Amino acid sequence: MPTESLASTGTPRPSLFQRWSDGLTGWALVGPGALLILIFGGLPVLMSLTLSFQKSDLLTADAPWVGFENYRKLATDPLFVEAIKHTLVYTALFVPGTMLVGLLVAVAMNRSLRFISAYRSAAYLTMAVSTISQGIIFMWLTDQNYGLVNAALNTVGIESQPFLSSPSQALYVIVAMTIWGWTGFAVIIYLAALQAVPVELHEAAAVDGASRLTRFRTITVPLLGPANLFLLVWLSINALQLFDEVYLTTRGGPLRATSVIVYYLWDQAFVQFNAGYAAAMAYALFVVVVIITALQFRITRKSVHNA
């Protein structure tokens, strides 16, 4: 059946003036916000890109052009290589740990129970706690002299541990702290995905004799693909940009055991005043984040099934 024209339906076609007027009105509404984003977002990005090709201490106006010297220095800086290793170890533990704990809690919350809303709110409560508060809580819990964790260890005959004061333990304490802090976010994502799984599929599989574990493995897990991909990408990006928790609890120590990329970047820019080198480091990290994100999308694309 041919499509009726606007004229035949009685709907007047907007005039050229009206279309221009609507467009100008739209730009007038978004213009101030777009201008602010451009000034305070886009302009600093371009300025920092220029800075990465200069030698600057942020204190003097003299900033000689050094080309790619700052980028070449990254490959020969042992402290930067060390920070990369710490960041990769942290990411490899934090991302799957948060996803696993979040999934287990979400599965436990995905049922009809009395006061289930209160339980779900409690699970999300960790996201309402600021990073500063999280750091203070874990510094108190893991204190070697009066921390509750060491008090619990002492009751079972284990001597007190230095935790954040130990080069071999501090990074893993930060992993545990951030997993605790991000679990609520993962729970919400997984809970929404679980509730979108069609009940009919589970009912049909149950009639065929499939156990609860089999139904979860063959039905639920494949349909969690979009949630898995979102969390994988989002948590990886956040892990590669770890800073607040390290700055608050260990300041990169002890013995640089928790010096990650962004903390080392901050140290170079605002403690050592090597701003040009820090800017180059920031852009190298940006490229790495883009590459890792693209690889994650490419590798996991085939395993993602939409419900």
Side-chain angles (χ1 to χ4, degrees):
M1 181 177 178
T3 304
E4 295 182 354
S5 64
L6 290 174
S8 62
T9 59
T11 303
R13 183 186 297 273
S15 64
L16 180 62
F17 175 78
Q18 288 176 323
R19 293 198 297 270
W20 274 98
S21 177
D22 292 342
L24 290 175
T25 301
W27 279 109
L29 292 173
V30 304
L35 183 62
L36 290 175
I37 293 174
L38 181 63
I39 293 175
F40 297 104
L43 186 60
V45 169
L46 295 177
M47 293 176 64
S48 63
L49 179 60
T50 303
L51 185 63
S52 69
F53 296 101
Q54 297 174 321
K55 183 177 181 180
S56 172
D57 58 6
L58 294 179
L59 299 176
T60 60
D62 185 27
W65 190 268
V66 295
F68 287 93
E69 182 61 30
N70 289 325
Y71 290 94
R72 286 193 290 266
K73 183 180 176 182
L74 292 174
T76 59
D77 185 353
L79 298 183
F80 179 64
V81 175
E82 185 181 37
I84 292 176
K85 293 179 181 178
H86 295 155
T87 304
L88 292 178
V89 170
Y90 170 80
T91 303
L93 295 174
F94 164 74
V95 174
T98 303
M99 293 176 66
L100 178 60
V101 175
L103 178 58
L104 294 176
V105 175
V107 170
M109 297 290 181
N110 188 35
R111 60 187 67 191
S112 297
L113 295 174
R114 193 177 184 184
F115 305 120
I116 189 63
S117 297
Y119 299 147
R120 291 172 180 172
S121 299
Y124 187 73
L125 191 61
T126 58
M127 284 300 296
V129 179
S130 67
T131 303
I132 302 300
S133 300
Q134 291 177 20
I136 294 174
I137 290 172
F138 270 77
M139 289 173 66
W140 177 66
L141 288 174
T142 60
D143 187 88
Q144 189 169 3
N145 298 317
Y146 54 80
L148 293 181
V149 175
N150 277 314
L153 293 177
N154 293 337
T155 59
V156 295
I158 301 176
E159 63 181 11
S160 297
Q161 301 295 313
F163 291 120
L164 289 172
S165 301
S166 170
S168 62
Q169 298 177 356
L171 185 62
Y172 302 106
V173 174
I174 293 176
V175 170
M177 175 175 65
T178 49
I179 287 177
W180 179 83
W182 278 92
T183 292
F185 179 78
V187 168
I188 294 300
I189 301 300
Y190 275 130
L191 191 58
L194 288 170
Q195 293 181 349
V197 175
V199 179
E200 296 81 4
L201 296 179
H202 281 276
E203 293 175 346
V207 171
D208 291 338
S211 64
R212 184 186 296 271
L213 181 60
T214 301
R215 298 199 305 270
F216 180 78
R217 179 175 56 84
T218 59
I219 298 175
T220 303
V221 172
L223 293 177
L224 292 179
N228 287 330
L229 177 59
F230 170 76
L231 286 172
L232 178 65
V233 172
W234 187 264
L235 294 175
S236 296
I237 292 173
N238 279 274
L240 293 171
Q241 299 180 84
L242 175 70
F243 173 76
D244 295 354
E245 293 83 352
V246 171
Y247 178 82
L248 178 67
T249 57
T250 62
R251 295 295 179 96
L255 300 178
R256 296 193 300 274
T258 59
S259 178
V260 291
I261 294 176
V262 177
Y263 181 83
Y264 184 56
L265 186 159
W266 171 85
D267 181 75
Q268 286 294 313
F270 302 109
V271 177
Q272 308 299 328
F273 294 104
N274 295 324
Y277 182 52
M281 201 180 304
Y283 276 91
L285 177 61
F286 169 74
V287 172
V288 170
V289 169
V290 171
I291 292 174
I292 290 178
T293 302
L295 287 174
Q296 288 174 335
F297 272 104
R298 184 175 182 84
I299 294 172
T300 60
R301 181 171 50 188
K302 294 182 179 179
S303 62
V304 172
H305 301 272
N306 292 314

